[in-house]
Amino acid sequence: MELTKFGHACVRLEKEGRRLVIDPGGLTGPAALDGADAVLVTHEHFDHFSEEALRRAAAARPGLRIWTNSRVARRLDGLGDRVVTTGDGDAFGVAGFDVQVHGTWHAVIHPDVPRIPNIGFLVDRSLFHPGDALTVPATPVGTLLPVHAPWSTVGDLIDYVREVAPRTAYAVHDGALNDVGTTMVEGFLGERGPGIPARYRRLAPGASVRIE
């Protein structure tokens, strides 16, 4: 399948003419949902979920279906059975892709900030998008999309990639970093860092790579 990054946390997967989009949010360009057959949403934060964009896409594509947690599903009231609530341990097929759901909660931001539900998606037993969490699936992962966020440190990311142990890691959720920040993270997770069991690359918005 082909992976294309669309601004910050959103990626689109394409295989055999079918398109699966994960986390189209408020920082995502509208082209991400063009031709989408299905959408996965990890949680309700604006940079991962845009109600307006999803309702617009659903109106344009009657066959579009959306899988997400119960909190996001309530925000999409009125779309009927086109929105499917899912959670940790579920597995399903969508648009020609096999999807497993892992995780329950968003990472802790601060003890005074209430946690919200967050689910991660493992697609075709290969690529894992954790949303805003450091969830470790209980199954091998070939490609990991580790997130940089205000609640994480570079040390957290190093430990996370080491624990998941993918073959390849592509950076997402880096919209809050300037060029200096992305270079610093790449230095620590790349060959000059302390070492992770994966080849690390940052994808520029709009860039595509082949996922085996």
Side-chain angles (χ1 to χ4, degrees):
M1 58 184 165
E2 184 177 69
L3 163 71
T4 302
K5 179 180 176 181
F6 284 89
H8 193 55
C10 178
V11 298
R12 185 175 69 200
L13 304 176
E14 298 184 62
K15 182 178 67 173
E16 299 175 353
R18 308 301 296 274
R19 291 182 169 184
L20 174 64
V21 178
I22 305 177
D23 280 5
L27 302 178
T28 302
L33 286 164
D34 289 351
D37 297 291
V39 177
L40 309 177
V41 180
T42 62
H43 67 290
E44 65 196 81
H45 283 161
F46 87 98
D47 52 335
H48 295 256
F49 166 61
S50 170
E51 179 181 347
E52 178 183 359
L54 286 179
R55 288 188 181 277
R56 187 167 56 244
R61 292 182 64 82
L64 181 72
R65 299 187 72 189
I66 302 162
W67 276 258
T68 187
N69 65 51
S70 58
R71 293 262 297 239
V72 175
R74 286 196 292 270
R75 298 270 298 273
L76 294 171
D77 182 54
L79 293 182
D81 61 5
R82 298 176 64 183
V83 178
V84 181
T85 300
T86 189
D88 183 47
D90 288 348
F92 52 90
V94 52
F97 296 86
D98 293 321
V99 180
Q100 296 178 4
V101 184
H102 297 270
T104 304
W105 294 105
H106 191 288
V108 175
I109 299 173
H110 186 274
D112 293 342
V113 178
R115 295 178 77 183
I116 61 171
N118 179 101
I119 52 179
F121 297 104
L122 179 65
V123 180
D124 281 356
R125 296 182 178 272
S126 175
L127 180 141
F128 185 59
H129 191 314
D132 273 4
L134 299 175
T135 301
V136 179
T139 186
V141 171
T143 300
L144 177 66
L145 305 180
V147 300
H148 180 277
W151 44 263
S152 69
T153 67
V154 172
D156 292 331
L157 297 183
I158 291 171
D159 289 341
Y160 180 51
V161 177
R162 285 178 174 177
E163 189 170 2
V164 177
R167 293 188 305 274
T168 307
Y170 293 106
V172 299
H173 207 273
D174 51 6
L177 296 176
N178 60 18
D179 290 343
V180 174
T182 55
T183 299
M184 291 175 64
V185 171
E186 186 171 6
F188 281 108
L189 293 182
E191 295 178 356
R192 301 189 303 275
I196 57 174
R199 183 174 65 96
Y200 174 84
R201 283 183 57 193
R202 177 176 181 263
L203 291 180
S208 299
V209 292
R210 178 67 61 179
I211 304 295
E212 300 297 336

